[in-house]
C-alpha cells in the first residue's frame, strides 16, 4: 500500500467519523426539542446540523484526492499535522467559550454541540491549510529542480566549450574522434558512440564503442547521414541496435563526410538538452575537422 493511501485514508476516515457524529448529535438535538412543529424541526436540523455534517464529510474528498497526488508524498505528515493541530486549536477555543459561558451564565448548555462544531471546522481548516502548504512546498521544489537543471546544463555547456578549445588544438581526425567520444561519455552518459568517415563508395569506422550492432548496417546509416544538415540531430528508428539511434553529420566536403552515431541509453530516449549539447559539441568537432581538412589540402597542394 502506498504511503499516500494510508494518510489519505486516515483523513477520509476522520471525515466520516466527524460527519457521523454531527448527524448523531443533530438527531439528539432534535429529539430534545419540544414545542416545535415538524417543519420547524426540519429547519433546525437543516441549518444547525447539515452544514457541519457536510463540512466534516468534505474531508472524505480531501483524503481521496490526496491518494492520487504522488507529488505530495513528502508532505503528507505535514498535512496531517496541520489538521490535527488546527482541531486542537479550535477545541481550545471551544473550551474558552464554554468557560466564559459557565462564568457568565452558569450553564454549559449546548456545550457538546459547540465543541464538535468547532472541532469539525478546525479539522477541515487545518487540512486545507496543510494542502496549501504542501502545494507551496511542491512549487518550491519544482523551482529548485528547475534551477538545478539550468545550472547543470550551463555547467555541461561550459565543459563542452572546454572540449571545443581542445578540439581546436587537435591535428588529426583520430584526436578529434577520441575527444568527441570522451566528451559524450563523460558529460552525456552515452556509452556507445561511433564516428564513421564516408568518402565516395568507401567508408571507414574511425572509432566505435557500439556493441551488438552490425557494422555494415552502421556504415549504411552513416552513408545516409552524409545527406543531413551539418550538426543536425536525426533520430533513426530503423537502427540496428536495441535502442533508437542518433545520427549527426559532423562535417562534409563534396561527396565525403564524417557522421556520428549514438544509440539512446535506457528507455527515456534522447533528452532535448542533451541534443543541444551534442549539437554544440559536433559544431566544435566540425570546425576542428574543417581546419584539419584545409591544412591537409594545403600540404598536398
Amino acid at each position: 500500500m502506498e504511503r499516500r493511501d494510508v494518510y489519505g485514508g486516515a483523513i477520509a476516515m476522520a471525515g466520516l467519523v466527524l460527519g457521523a457524529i454531527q448527524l448523531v448529535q443533530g438527531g439528539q438535538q432534535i429529539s430534545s426539542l419540544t414545542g416545535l412543529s415538524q417543519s420547524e424541526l426540519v429547519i433546525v436540523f437543516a441549518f444547525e446540523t447539515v452544514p457541519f455534517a457536510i463540512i466534516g464529510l468534505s474531508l472524505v474528498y480531501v483524503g481521496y484526492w490526496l491518494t492520487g497526488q504522488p507529488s505530495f508524498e513528502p508532505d503528507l505528515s505535514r498535512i496531517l499535522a496541520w489538521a490535527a493541530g488546527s482541531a486542537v486549536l479550535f477545541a481550545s477555543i471551544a473550551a474558552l467559550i464554554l468557560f466564559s459561558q459557565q462564568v457568565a451564565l452558569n450553564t454549559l448548555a449546548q456545550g457538546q454541540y459547540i465543541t464538535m462544531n468547532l472541532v469539525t471546522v478546525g479539522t477541515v481548516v487545518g487540512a486545507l491549510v496543510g494542502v496549501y502548504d504542501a502545494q507551496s512546498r511542491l512549487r518550491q521544489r519544482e523551482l529548485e529542480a528547475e534551477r538545478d537543471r539550468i545550472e547543470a546544463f550551463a555547467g555541461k555547456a561550459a565543459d563542452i566549450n572546454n572540449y571545443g578549445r581542445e578540439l581546436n588544438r587537435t591535428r588529426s581526425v583520430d584526436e578529434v574522434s577520441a575527444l568527441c567520444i570522451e566528451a559524450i561519455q563523460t558529460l552525456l552518459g552515452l556509452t556507445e558512440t561511433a564516428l564513421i568517415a564516408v568518402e565516395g563508395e568507401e567508408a571507414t569506422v574511425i572509432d566505435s564503442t557500439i556493441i551488438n550492432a552490425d557494422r555494415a548496417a552502421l556504415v549504411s546509416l552513416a552513408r545516409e547521414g552524409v545527406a543531413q544538415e551539418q550538426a543536425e540531430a536525426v533520430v533513426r528508428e530503423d537502427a540496428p541496435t536495441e535502442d533508437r539511434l542518433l545520427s549527426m553529420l559532423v562535417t562534409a566536403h563534396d561527396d565525403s563526410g564524417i557522421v556520428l552515431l549514438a544509440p539512446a541509453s535506457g528507455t527515456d530516449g534522447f533528452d532535448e538538452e542533451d541534443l543541444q549539447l551534442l549539437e554544440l559539441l559536433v559544431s566544435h568537432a566540425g570546425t576542428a575537422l574543417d581546419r584539419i581538412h584545409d591544412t591537409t589540402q594545403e600540404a598536398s597542394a
Side-chain angles (χ1 to χ4, degrees), residues 52-294:
F52 291 101
I54 292 174
I55 291 173
L57 291 173
S58 66
L59 284 176
V60 177
Y61 173 76
V62 174
Y64 171 76
W65 179 78
L66 283 175
T67 60
Q69 302 296 319
S71 56
F72 283 1
E73 194 85 21
D75 301 306
L76 291 174
S77 57
R78 187 180 299 274
I79 294 173
L80 201 61
W82 271 106
S86 182
V88 172
L89 175 63
F90 275 69
S92 301
I93 295 174
L96 289 175
I97 293 174
L98 293 177
F99 177 76
S100 299
Q101 182 177 306
Q102 174 66 27
V103 171
L105 303 175
N106 193 29
T107 179
L108 292 177
Q110 303 293 316
Q112 62 176 342
Y113 306 122
I114 294 174
T115 301
M116 283 310 305
N117 289 345
L118 287 175
V119 168
T120 299
V121 173
T123 304
V124 174
V125 168
L128 295 178
V129 171
V131 170
Y132 177 79
D133 184 29
Q135 289 176 330
S136 299
R137 292 177 181 275
L138 174 61
R139 179 58 179 164
Q140 182 178 358
R141 289 194 295 270
E142 290 174 345
L143 291 174
E144 291 174 352
E146 181 68 12
R147 180 200 62 197
D148 294 342
R149 184 188 63 79
I150 293 173
E151 289 179 353
F153 178 80
K156 288 182 178 181
D159 290 335
I160 291 291
N161 287 328
N162 291 334
Y163 273 103
R165 284 192 289 270
E166 292 299 320
L167 286 167
N168 286 329
R169 298 190 183 101
T170 56
R171 297 183 178 180
S172 67
V173 174
D174 289 335
E175 290 181 15
V176 173
S177 176
L179 279 173
C180 286
I181 290 177
E182 178 185 333
I184 291 171
Q185 290 180 345
T186 303
L187 300 178
L188 304 179
L190 299 178
T191 57
E192 295 184 299
T193 312
L195 270 84
I196 301 175
V198 177
E199 187 171 357
E201 297 299 322
E202 301 294 327
T204 303
V205 178
I206 303 171
D207 279 309
S208 177
T209 59
I210 300 178
I211 58 176
N212 300 325
D214 182 68
R215 189 184 186 91
L218 292 177
V219 169
S220 176
L221 289 175
R223 292 185 187 280
E224 296 176 11
V226 174
Q228 296 174 199
E229 294 292 330
Q230 189 169 351
E232 177 188 12
V234 176
V235 178
R236 301 296 299 268
E237 301 289 349
D238 56 342
T241 56
E242 294 182 358
D243 300 311
R244 292 182 301 167
L245 188 140
L246 182 73
S247 172
M248 298 184 74
L249 177 62
V250 183
T251 185
H253 300 93
D254 299 327
D255 61 344
S256 65
I258 296 178
V259 177
L260 181 146
L261 302 175
S265 57
T267 58
D268 295 334
F270 294 99
D271 184 84
E272 183 65 29
E273 293 179 354
D274 287 346
L275 290 180
Q276 294 176 9
L277 293 173
L278 267 175
E279 290 172 354
L280 179 60
L281 176 65
V282 167
S283 296
H284 286 303
T287 301
L289 290 171
D290 288 341
R291 175 180 51 78
I292 293 171
H293 178 269
D294 293 340

